[in-house]
Amino acid sequence: MFHRPDPSSEHKLFRETVRRFVVEKIRPRAREFDEKGRFDKSLYLEMGELGLLGLRYDEAYGGSELDWTFTAILHEELARSDNAGVTTGISVHTDMATPSLHQFGTEELKQKYLVPAIAGEMVSAIAVTEPGAGSDVSGIRTRAVRDGDDWVINGTKIYITNAATADWYCLLAVTDPEGGYGGFSQIIVPTDTPGISVRLEEKIGLWGSDTGEITFDNVRVPVSNTIGEPGAGFQQQMMQFQDERLVACISLLSGSELLWQETREWVEGRMLFGKPLSKMQNTQFRMVEMLTELTACRALVNQCVDQLVEGHDATDLISMAKLQCCRVVRRVADGCIQFHGGYGYMKDSAAGRAFVDTRIGSIGGGSDETMMHYLAKRLGF
Ligand SMILES: Cc1cc2nc3c(=O)[nH]c(=O)nc-3n(C[C@H](O)[C@H](O)[C@H](O)COP(=O)(O)OP(=O)(O)OC[C@H]3O[C@@H](n4cnc5c(N)ncnc54)[C@H](O)[C@@H]3O)c2cc1C
């Protein structure tokens, strides 16, 4: 009902493959992953074997060279896994930490880090946010100082998804404090490098994925681990954010659509005052309102995907989609909790989990205000 009709039998088959993986490998263990606070790394290996971790990447590195419609299907289906933490951890790896490496990395770097990432043998994380700078990315302070052929890195990153699971970080660091926006670099940092320590953080939601604070204490990595030219990191990260934001929209929206459907079943089965809750006009109106909002978001997200497939710059549209989708999914989660009454407030209810899980959308990867700040500038205010 919600996603666009699959345009080809290849798309249909791909959707079935992902759906089967989600039903067999994630859904039955969803609560177990929540309790552990992370999910098994073996899931990445299994996804790698199915060819799900490098959909848009070159075949030369193990990717599939498929367009964005397949990426959309992947995240629509993963979002039905009953565990938004798992979905987040996987999407960080597929679409938030690896795009820059694929686009700008040297052949040597891609062989060493991208090939195993696409195979699921290595897990990646994106390390940008710091205690003193989140929305204001240019305010980061983590320094990489050149010493011969090495970078020596000092600083702290916080709220990093996959912090303890990852085998390498795509780190954004200051390499030239006088260089303005040209003073940042993206550097691959293997997580077994001496001087790295991780402290796990406790979150109100997304229980199935690990999030941590990472300290870099004189961490030494080769300068050849720089993605692209030294100094190009800020611009590359801004580009990488586009993939992150659209994937976040697709994922949150798909999860909310499923919640809406589950809530429909609930209101049709729940009896109040001798009739189903769905027979109250208030219920019908609110359900219709939520569906309308979700459908409008779906149209916006599909338009973003179409723009990318056609090779256009979709930055403005993605910013609008990120702003709108993240607001709508929060309203939907709130509405669905209300229909579930007390059960909605229980930890094992999908509506209750969605209430906390969707909240990150308006904060992470560029908050609502960051999107509005960008769009206002683009409009010349
Ligand atoms: C669960 C989780 C996972 C995360 N995973 C990662 C990760 O993997 N990698 C990573 O690097 N980071 C990650 N983050 C960090 C996330 O991207 C940041 O929290 C986010 O960018 C906001 O930064 P901040 O927390 O420093 O808030 P701040 O930047 O301090 O923002 C505070 C408030 O100011 C608002 N604001 C921002 N700009 C403006 C403006 N122009 N005008 C008015 N108000 C404004 C913000 O929207 C917010 O409401 C994660 C965070 C969470 C909670």
Side-chain angles (χ1 to χ4, degrees):
M1 174 184 187
F2 290 105
H3 61 76
R4 83 177 73 211
D6 291 330
S8 72
S9 53
E10 207 188 343
H11 288 82
K12 269 200 196 84
L13 198 67
F14 179 72
R15 187 181 294 283
E16 281 164 22
T17 302
V18 185
R19 190 166 288 191
R20 200 173 318 116
F21 176 78
V22 165
V23 167
E24 290 174 6
K25 305 289 181 178
I26 309 182
R27 283 190 77 95
R29 301 182 62 195
R31 297 292 74 78
E32 176 198 327
F33 294 144
D34 277 349
E35 274 158 34
K36 279 202 225 167
R38 64 166 76 180
F39 57 97
D40 295 4
K41 240 174 153 170
S42 58
L43 283 188
Y44 288 102
L45 271 176
E46 293 178 72
M47 289 186 75
E49 276 164 22
L50 291 171
L52 302 179
L53 299 179
L55 294 181
R56 297 189 310 284
Y57 298 158
D58 295 348
E59 284 180 4
Y61 307 110
S64 309
E65 298 188 16
L66 294 166
D67 68 26
W68 260 93
T69 54
F70 288 88
T71 300
I73 291 174
L74 173 71
H75 295 290
E76 281 169 10
E77 292 302 321
L78 283 175
R80 303 171 66 89
S81 67
D82 196 24
N83 192 312
V86 175
T87 309
T88 302
I90 293 170
S91 60
V92 162
H93 177 70
T94 54
D95 292 280
M96 304 179 190
T98 47
S100 284
L101 175 59
H102 179 257
Q103 197 174 351
F104 303 107
T106 59
E107 184 60 26
E108 185 198 343
L109 266 191
K110 288 194 227 184
Q111 290 297 342
K112 201 165 172 190
Y113 296 105
L114 186 63
V115 170
I118 293 174
E121 292 157 4
M122 275 188 167
V123 176
S124 58
I126 172 74
V128 174
T129 308
E130 300 186 358
S135 309
D136 178 13
V137 175
S138 66
I140 62 163
R141 292 284 168 266
T142 294
R143 275 298 309 272
V145 176
R146 193 167 178 153
D147 180 27
D149 288 337
D150 289 341
W151 292 120
V152 178
I153 302 164
N154 282 286
T156 303
K157 298 287 177 181
I158 47 165
Y159 316 139
I160 307 303
T161 306
N162 292 345
T165 305
D167 297 287
W168 56 266
Y169 301 134
C170 173
L171 173 84
L172 188 69
V174 178
T175 44
D176 176 8
E178 311 303 321
Y181 289 110
F184 301 86
S185 301
Q186 284 180 312
I187 302 168
I188 300 260
V189 183
T191 57
D192 58 1
T193 314
I196 294 178
S197 51
V198 175
R199 183 185 62 81
L200 285 178
E201 285 155 322
E202 289 195 10
K203 310 187 290 293
I204 61 167
L206 297 184
W207 302 311
S209 67
D210 58 297
T211 307
E213 178 184 278
I214 310 166
T215 305
F216 299 85
D217 180 10
N218 287 318
V219 172
R220 194 172 271 273
V221 296
V223 171
S224 58
N225 275 22
T226 311
I227 300 175
E229 292 299 315
F234 189 86
Q235 291 75 13
Q236 290 174 188
Q237 183 52 46
M238 290 302 127
M239 290 168 81
Q240 189 163 246
F241 273 141
Q242 299 313 311
D243 293 350
E244 169 165 352
R245 287 169 190 164
L246 183 52
V247 161
C249 291
I250 294 166
S251 182
L252 284 163
L253 199 53
S254 183
S256 291
E257 289 162 350
L258 180 63
L259 179 64
W260 185 91
Q261 280 170 326
E262 289 171 350
T263 302
R264 179 181 183 154
E265 285 162 29
W266 168 272
V267 294
E268 284 174 346
R270 182 71 180 172
M271 299 297 289
L272 259 88
F273 306 106
K275 60 181 179 183
L277 178 54
S278 60
K279 294 296 171 200
M280 316 278 191
Q281 195 182 44
N282 170 65
T283 307
Q284 296 165 0
F285 281 11
R286 188 73 193 100
M287 289 298 286
V288 167
E289 262 175 359
M290 292 195 294
L291 181 62
T292 305
E293 286 197 292
L294 287 171
T295 305
C297 283
R298 171 58 60 193
L300 190 51
V301 165
N302 285 348
Q303 204 186 338
C304 293
V305 172
D306 289 344
Q307 296 264 311
L308 292 176
V309 171
E310 287 164 21
H312 302 302
D313 177 1
T315 309
D316 295 355
L317 216 50
I318 291 173
S319 307
M320 290 181 196
K322 172 85 170 44
L323 173 63
Q324 186 62 7
C325 290
C326 293
R327 289 182 162 183
V328 165
V329 296
R330 286 163 53 193
R331 282 202 288 271
V332 169
D334 189 53
C336 290
I337 280 213
Q338 193 67 18
F339 285 129
H340 282 80
Y343 177 55
Y345 204 73
M346 297 298 110
K347 242 181 159 177
D348 71 335
S349 89
R353 282 198 308 280
F355 188 71
V356 282
D357 289 342
T358 56
R359 192 62 185 84
I360 181 62
S362 289
I363 298 169
S367 65
D368 288 0
E369 289 75 14
T370 303
M371 296 304 100
M372 289 188 281
H373 177 71
Y374 165 78
L375 287 164
K377 268 210 312 212
R378 286 282 293 158
L379 289 166
F381 284 111

